[in-house]
Amino acid sequence: MATDIRHQPENGYYSEPTQPSPTENLSRRSLMRLPRTLSPLETLGFGMSSHIAWVTLAPAMHAALGPNAIFVWLPTVLMGVMLNLQVKRLGEKWPEMSGGTPNYTTGLLSNYPFLGRYAAIAYFAGWAVYPSVNAIVLTALIQANLEPLGIACPETVLRIGFTLIPYILAFSGSRALAILHSFFIIPAVGFLLVFSIQGMGWLAFSPDSPGLFPSSWPTLTFIDWAKWSFFAVYGPCACETASSFVADSRRPGESLRVLSLTAWLIPPVYLGSSWILMRLATSPGLGDDSFKNLLAAASPFWGPSASLIVTLLLASSSLLSSATCVSNSPRVLYQLALDGHVSPVFAFISRRGVLEPALVFSLLLGLIGLLWGDVTRIVVVSCASYLIMMMALYLGLWLQRGSPEVRWPWWAACFFVFDGVVMVVGGLNWSWQDVTIGLLFPVTILAVDAAIRRISFAPFHRAWWIRHYRARRKSQIEDFVAFQVVVLILLVCSAVGIGWVFRSQLDTNSSVGSNLLAVLILTVTFVGVAVACWTSLPQVVSMDEAREAAEQLFVIAIDAIVVLDEKGMIRQANPASERLFELSTGQLIGRHLNKLLPGLAFGPDRWPSRSEQTLNLPAEDSRILEVAISDRFSQDASLFNQELQEYVVILRDITDRKQAQESLQKANEELEIKVENRTSELTHTVQQLQNEIEERQRIEANLRAMQNQIVVQEKLASLGNLTAGIAHEIRNPLNFVNNFSELSAELTEELFEELGNQAERLAPETKEYIAELLTDLKENLKKINQHGQRADKIVGNMLLHSRGQSGQWEATDINSLLAEYINLAYHGMRAKEAAFNITIETDYDNDIGEVEVVPQDIGRVFLNIISNACYATYKKKQEMGEEFSSLLEVRTRNLGDAIEIRIRDNGSGIKPEVLDKIFNPFFTTKPPAEGTGLGLSISQDVIVQQHRGELKVETEVGKYTEFIITLPKK
């Protein structure tokens, strides 16, 4: 089993080197989590997508039902309001859960995992195929505007393009898509609110108004009501999509309050706008055309502007709805993967929060819908899938009706029945085949997921995506400025070129031209942002990551670092500078460094690159600093633009080192004087020195004896603890033997008495034979009891003279212990070297069972060896650069009565002259300030002396080093 490890702080990703099981819950692992980058306003934008969806859904319903459409909207609007408030309560319970409502449903149905998984996948399927509907609708809108101009519409190209645009944005990062989405959705919903409020006012007060209420109500059949309720549920209830982005939000609490706002916006948008449509879009020739119906309803009070605004609303509805689908559906799949419901590959996420495998899978479903091409049938399938999830949600709320997060359980039960009736009556009257497809679609996706789990195709596994992501991060554009300028030139030229091509046609028909211009503006905006994000955003993010890393190093540096301007004035200072100068950052900024260090010249350009300076502090003696200065910019900048010249100065306190050097020099001088004074007396003190040497040897011999005695005492103490444990365990069965031997002796006496009572009934030879047997039995039991009592005394003495505390030796799962210390060593290395990365491959033999060891000591051995391996690969990567990939291999093997552990790195190996010294105490190959030693002397004592094992090393210079540990199982 090979597990790939990579960790980045906060936004990074990391997998622990443990053996996954089929039921592994990935959310409990140290996997990548969604970066919290979205603002509450951007979350609000996603939650409002269903409000703007009214413009495409309502006209067809009103064309079919007339005024009775309001009776379809009333219950669905009530459901939408209550659903949003209920989902807000669920989000407060699970603020870290991505995906929103469908994943909350899996939590509510935790006792019915298949049902919860099926419902969540149904929700995912309904959203994933919907971008194809929007692409088809938007293409039809453009085609309708191009026909009066005599321009042929590239229908296939537009459909594919409108399907891919939101995915291109999503692949570039969630934040870019969220900002673009919010920029258009908020004005669009604002227009709808104005449409609703202004229209109701016009109906109530205008002299040209046909009246606020209709004069008659046509008959509404139950089947018609159910058929259109089948579609209507999707609109108001889909405002809950804001909950899908709470896990991305920088302020989850405020993002959850967005659900309350979207809930209370549902009635004015859906009921108010529908009422206006009902009263004003009454011409018989309108049909179910969304543009004509909305234009007829808006023209009385918006006048000539109505055509442009309606076009904007329709185009915005399609584009923004697709953007929400593309953002929402991958998050559902991602959270299902975290919770172990689908393949772990869908839990992969880049540092920018891009759910690449989930996006690819969603795109494939969207392309399937695009190939199908029948909008009505796709919508029926999507609504059927959505109703499945809603029914499962209401069922889960009813089953958890005693929980505090459930607000209205009885309403949930009523809504469950409502959705069930709408599904059966309404759905089947639309198309029983499409409803069946909607029911079976999630099962098909689950079957595909099961195949993904089992097929060894590389893109079906997270490791392939991690390697692909790393390779992509390395392939950055060298001259990014030139590339960015070229992209901007192409975008500007393309926009101008499109305007020039359509200029003459737009002038000939002003109304159609303005409508087409609105669609072009939206489309070009989305395409332009998509191209910019696809090309430039990865480079910008890489530069931002580099800047963050540099700032992090600046903040955590042990040495003081200050940035100076061309006059030597401090512009930036890190925390270490505050400690060194005993001044706050505010007090340091604006000061000249040569005022703090008078030994420096006035101008930094005249300072030596490295020097020693004296710092005088009021609270203590002066300190000696090592000062190193370097140009932040090139020499060309200093020659041609002096105002931009800056300097980076590193200051290190070397007072202790200088004092140590002075003390050492003084001691050497004194020693030389003593040697000179004693030279003449040397011949008279030879014997005295020999005596001292002999005394020292005797003392050293005594010390070694004492050390051996201490070791023996420790061994005896361990043996005492072991003896106490064994004696305690022996005493229990021994007491059993003693007690039952006495009881058996008593039973033998009773048998003797009974034999005497029955003497006349037995033959003499039989009686004599039985008496002999009983006598032998009695003697044997007596001996058993005597020896048992003797053994009991021995055990008592063992307990009396043994130590009372034990418990250090434990039966331990070596695989788990290795995994724990791999993680500990990795994070320890990351704490010292933020740029450290390594791939760890593990191959654990599950048959080794548990081994009796001292876990703390064995863990220390693992930590020493793994830390040394990480350090070796890190140093080699510094030497070789990015072409070198750090690798650590850890394997265990069952040898029967022992186990073998191999720890191998691909560092520079151990040189022959060093190999014989690595197990010596205090020996190290690390430079000063990077460690105190390899820890291999202690490791050898633990393995060989304490655990009676074996520690070997194999190495090849420049290629690898491998430590082999052999431990007996007992």
Side-chain angles (χ1 to χ4, degrees):
M1 186 276 294
T3 304
D4 191 66
I5 292 182
R6 181 180 175 90
H7 178 77
Q8 296 290 348
E10 298 180 0
N11 297 345
Y13 58 93
Y14 165 69
S15 301
E16 290 186 358
T18 54
Q19 291 179 308
S21 62
T23 60
E24 179 182 31
N25 187 337
L26 293 178
S27 65
R28 296 189 178 95
R29 305 290 184 189
S30 299
L31 287 172
M32 297 172 288
R33 305 299 301 182
L34 285 167
R36 291 193 175 275
T37 57
L38 301 184
S39 66
L41 183 62
E42 292 157 3
T43 307
L44 173 64
F46 286 119
M48 287 182 172
S49 296
S50 65
H51 294 85
I52 195 68
W54 176 87
V55 300
T56 57
L57 179 61
M61 183 187 303
H62 284 271
L65 300 180
N68 288 322
I70 201 70
F71 297 111
V72 176
W73 288 122
L74 284 171
T76 55
V77 165
L78 175 64
M79 289 176 62
V81 173
M82 298 183 70
L83 174 66
N84 273 262
L85 298 177
Q86 174 61 73
V87 169
K88 177 177 178 289
R89 181 72 63 86
L90 295 175
E92 292 170 352
K93 179 181 180 182
W94 293 302
E96 298 295 328
M97 183 176 288
S98 178
T101 307
N103 297 100
Y104 299 159
T105 303
T106 60
L108 293 170
L109 296 174
S110 57
N111 293 330
Y112 306 92
F114 178 79
L115 178 59
R117 181 166 62 250
Y118 172 77
I121 289 295
Y123 181 96
F124 162 76
W127 280 93
V129 299
Y130 213 80
S132 61
V133 174
N134 295 320
I136 295 171
V137 171
L138 194 56
T139 302
L141 178 64
I142 295 176
Q143 188 174 18
N145 283 279
L146 289 178
E147 285 179 358
L149 303 176
I151 301 175
C153 177
E155 185 176 350
T156 303
V157 174
L158 287 178
R159 287 184 176 185
I160 296 175
F162 285 128
T163 302
L164 293 179
I165 287 173
Y167 280 99
I168 293 174
L169 282 166
F171 273 110
S172 300
S174 301
R175 186 78 198 286
L177 183 58
I179 294 173
L180 180 64
H181 190 279
S182 300
F183 183 81
F184 285 105
I185 191 68
I186 294 176
V189 174
F191 276 126
L192 270 183
L193 287 173
V194 171
F195 174 80
S196 174
I197 297 170
Q198 187 177 358
M200 293 295 289
W202 189 88
L203 285 173
F205 302 109
S206 175
D208 298 328
S209 170
L212 189 60
F213 297 97
S215 58
S216 62
W217 297 88
T219 303
L220 177 65
T221 65
F222 176 73
I223 292 178
D224 287 338
W225 174 86
K227 285 178 62 178
W228 288 101
S229 294
F230 182 80
F231 293 142
V233 170
Y234 194 92
C237 293
C239 297
E240 46 74 30
T241 49
S243 63
S244 182
F245 304 90
V246 174
D248 302 56
S249 176
R250 295 194 294 266
R251 296 187 292 275
E254 295 183 20
S255 294
L256 283 171
R257 285 195 288 272
V258 163
L259 289 165
S260 299
L261 177 59
T262 56
W264 298 119
L265 286 176
I266 294 173
V269 170
Y270 275 85
L271 295 181
S273 301
S274 297
W275 193 272
I276 296 167
L277 197 67
M278 173 185 71
R279 297 298 297 128
L280 297 180
T282 56
S283 299
L286 298 177
D288 60 354
D289 186 281
S290 298
F291 178 79
K292 293 179 180 179
N293 279 271
L294 291 173
L295 183 62
S299 294
F301 50 89
W302 277 352
S305 302
S307 177
L308 177 62
I309 297 175
V310 168
T311 303
L312 281 171
L313 287 174
L314 288 170
S316 299
S317 174
S318 298
L319 285 172
L320 297 174
S321 178
S322 293
T324 302
C325 294
V326 168
S327 300
N328 184 26
S329 52
R331 280 165 171 76
V332 177
L333 211 59
Y334 162 77
Q335 188 63 44
L336 289 174
L338 287 185
D339 295 336
H341 294 301
V342 297
S343 174
V345 69
F346 297 115
F348 173 81
I349 180 173
S350 70
R351 289 193 63 189
R352 297 195 304 274
V354 180
L355 304 164
E356 296 185 358
L359 276 171
V360 171
F361 193 69
S362 302
L363 176 59
L364 292 176
L365 293 181
L367 293 176
I368 291 174
L370 195 63
L371 290 174
W372 194 0
D374 192 323
V375 172
T376 303
R377 299 192 66 184
I378 296 174
V379 173
V380 172
V381 171
S382 298
C383 289
S385 299
Y386 187 79
L387 280 172
I388 290 170
M389 196 285 302
M390 296 302 297
M391 293 176 65
L393 172 65
Y394 293 133
L395 176 62
L397 292 171
W398 171 253
L399 294 175
Q400 302 291 336
R401 54 187 176 275
S403 302
E405 65 271 12
V406 178
R407 302 188 67 167
W408 305 290
W410 286 99
W411 278 101
C414 295
F415 292 153
F416 175 82
V417 175
F418 179 92
D419 287 346
V421 171
V422 169
M423 170 74 81
V424 174
V425 179
L428 295 182
N429 275 279
W430 279 111
S431 171
W432 69 267
Q433 296 96 333
D434 295 334
V435 171
T436 303
I437 293 174
L439 296 175
L440 296 179
F441 200 13
V443 178
T444 304
I445 294 176
L446 288 174
V448 172
D449 174 69
I452 289 175
R453 291 171 182 254
R454 290 168 173 78
I455 297 175
S456 59
F457 184 51
F460 290 169
H461 302 279
R462 292 182 65 250
W464 184 87
W465 290 94
I466 293 172
R467 290 193 299 269
H468 175 68
Y469 176 72
R470 288 175 177 172
R472 189 170 69 248
R473 287 190 67 202
K474 293 178 181 178
S475 58
Q476 301 297 336
I477 299 172
E478 294 182 1
D479 193 352
F480 171 65
V481 175
F483 175 75
Q484 189 179 31
V485 171
V486 170
V487 171
L488 292 176
I489 291 173
L490 291 176
L491 291 177
V492 172
C493 293
S494 300
V496 174
I498 292 173
W500 181 265
V501 170
F502 289 102
R503 178 180 60 84
S504 58
Q505 288 86 350
L506 295 178
D507 291 340
T508 58
N509 192 330
S510 59
S511 61
V512 175
S514 62
N515 296 342
L516 186 59
L517 179 63
V519 177
L520 285 176
I521 290 173
L522 285 172
T523 305
V524 170
T525 302
F526 269 79
V527 172
V529 175
V531 173
C533 289
W534 185 258
T535 56
S536 301
L537 188 61
Q539 310 297 324
V540 175
V541 171
S542 297
M543 290 187 291
D544 187 58
E545 291 175 356
R547 178 188 58 79
E548 291 179 358
E551 291 178 353
Q552 183 71 11
L553 291 174
F554 181 76
V555 171
I556 67 173
I558 298 176
D559 294 330
I561 304 175
V562 294
V563 179
L564 310 178
D565 61 12
E566 74 283 355
K567 297 180 180 179
M569 185 178 294
I570 298 175
R571 295 302 183 190
Q572 286 180 274
N574 69 341
S577 302
E578 300 179 359
R579 296 190 294 270
L580 179 64
F581 292 109
E582 298 182 358
L583 296 172
S584 65
T585 301
Q587 294 171 321
L588 284 173
I589 293 177
R591 286 200 179 196
H592 288 275
L593 185 60
N594 55 7
K595 299 296 184 182
L596 299 170
L597 302 175
L600 294 173
F602 181 77
D605 55 338
R606 291 184 289 169
W607 295 352
S609 60
R610 188 177 298 271
S611 63
E612 293 182 3
Q613 304 294 329
T614 301
L615 172 65
N616 295 316
L617 296 174
E620 58 179 286
D621 296 335
S622 60
R623 311 291 293 175
I624 301 175
L625 306 182
E626 183 181 63
V627 180
I629 182 172
S630 64
D631 292 352
R632 170 176 279 192
F633 301 106
S634 65
Q635 293 181 355
D636 294 338
S638 64
L639 291 174
F640 299 106
N641 196 347
Q642 290 288 341
E643 294 181 358
L644 295 178
Q645 183 64 31
E646 289 185 347
Y647 302 89
V648 177
V649 180
I650 301 176
L651 305 104
R652 178 175 298 174
D653 189 348
I654 59 172
T655 304
D656 294 338
R657 189 176 75 188
K658 296 294 291 185
Q659 291 176 350
Q661 290 176 350
E662 292 175 358
S663 299
L664 181 60
Q665 184 178 358
K666 184 178 180 181
N668 288 335
E669 292 174 356
E670 293 177 354
L671 182 59
E672 289 176 0
I673 294 174
K674 290 181 180 180
V675 169
E676 291 176 0
N677 295 333
R678 299 275 297 182
T679 301
S680 60
E681 303 175 5
L682 185 60
T683 55
H684 301 288
T685 58
V686 172
Q687 187 61 42
Q688 182 179 355
L689 291 175
Q690 290 179 347
N691 293 337
E692 290 178 359
I693 292 172
E694 291 176 359
E695 180 66 18
R696 182 174 296 177
Q697 291 176 347
R698 184 181 63 81
I699 292 173
E700 289 178 353
N702 292 337
L703 287 175
R704 284 195 294 271
M706 292 174 65
Q707 290 175 350
N708 292 333
Q709 185 178 2
I710 291 172
V711 172
V712 171
Q713 288 176 352
E714 288 296 327
K715 291 180 179 179
L716 290 176
S718 299
L719 182 59
N721 292 335
L722 179 62
T723 303
I726 295 174
H728 181 74
E729 294 299 324
I730 291 174
R731 172 162 279 184
N732 290 330
L734 196 58
N735 289 336
F736 179 84
V737 172
N738 291 339
N739 293 336
F740 274 87
S741 64
E742 293 176 359
L743 178 61
S744 299
E746 294 175 2
L747 293 175
T748 305
E749 290 291 343
E750 292 179 5
L751 285 174
F752 263 117
E753 294 177 3
E754 184 65 23
L755 181 62
N757 296 334
Q758 302 295 332
E760 65 278 2
R761 299 182 182 179
L762 300 173
E765 59 275 15
T766 302
K767 177 179 179 182
E768 182 179 356
Y769 178 70
I770 293 175
E772 289 178 359
L773 289 177
L774 291 176
T775 300
D776 292 341
L777 178 60
K778 182 176 180 180
E779 289 298 323
N780 291 339
L781 290 173
K782 182 177 180 181
K783 292 178 180 178
I784 290 172
N785 186 261
Q786 288 175 350
H787 288 283
Q789 294 295 334
R790 181 183 176 189
D792 186 62
K793 291 180 180 179
I794 295 172
V795 170
N797 291 333
M798 291 171 66
L799 287 172
L800 182 62
H801 292 287
S802 63
R803 293 173 61 183
Q805 58 183 0
S806 183
Q808 294 183 352
W809 287 79
E810 298 175 11
T812 303
D813 184 352
I814 295 297
N815 291 343
S816 299
L817 193 65
L818 266 171
E820 178 183 349
Y821 278 91
I822 288 173
N823 187 24
L824 182 61
Y826 175 78
H827 283 289
M829 192 67 187
R830 285 285 303 180
K832 294 186 291 185
E833 302 293 344
F836 172 72
N837 291 304
I838 191 169
T839 298
I840 297 181
E841 296 182 356
T842 60
D843 186 5
Y844 298 148
D845 189 345
N846 294 324
D847 296 329
I848 65 176
E850 294 186 339
V851 181
E852 291 184 1
V853 296
V854 180
Q856 297 86 349
D857 295 342
I858 291 296
R860 183 61 185 176
V861 172
F862 293 160
L863 184 63
N864 287 338
I865 296 176
I866 295 170
S867 297
N868 291 333
C870 292
Y871 179 86
T873 60
Y874 175 75
K875 284 300 180 183
K876 186 173 181 180
K877 187 174 184 67
Q878 285 186 323
E879 296 172 1
M880 298 183 64
E882 291 298 325
E883 69 268 17
F884 174 75
S885 179
S886 300
L887 176 65
L888 177 67
E889 299 175 76
V890 181
R891 294 180 173 83
T892 60
R893 188 161 61 99
N894 187 4
L895 302 179
D897 58 349
I899 65 168
E900 182 186 80
I901 303 160
R902 289 178 174 265
I903 302 173
R904 179 188 180 109
D905 65 76
N906 63 341
S908 300
I910 303 175
K911 298 179 180 179
E913 60 268 24
V914 176
L915 189 60
D916 295 333
K917 304 176 184 178
I918 60 174
F919 293 107
N920 294 343
F922 308 111
F923 176 78
T924 180
T925 59
K926 298 179 181 177
E930 290 194 17
T932 57
L934 300 175
L936 295 179
S937 174
I938 297 174
S939 300
Q940 187 182 45
D941 289 341
V942 171
I943 297 298
V944 178
Q945 300 298 330
Q946 184 180 7
H947 288 80
R948 297 296 185 268
E950 186 178 0
L951 177 61
K952 298 187 299 184
V953 60
E954 295 178 359
T955 183
E956 184 174 347
V957 177
K959 292 187 177 180
Y960 75 93
T961 300
E962 184 171 22
F963 284 86
I964 305 166
I965 302 171
T966 305
L967 290 174
K969 288 189 175 181
K970 295 290 184 179

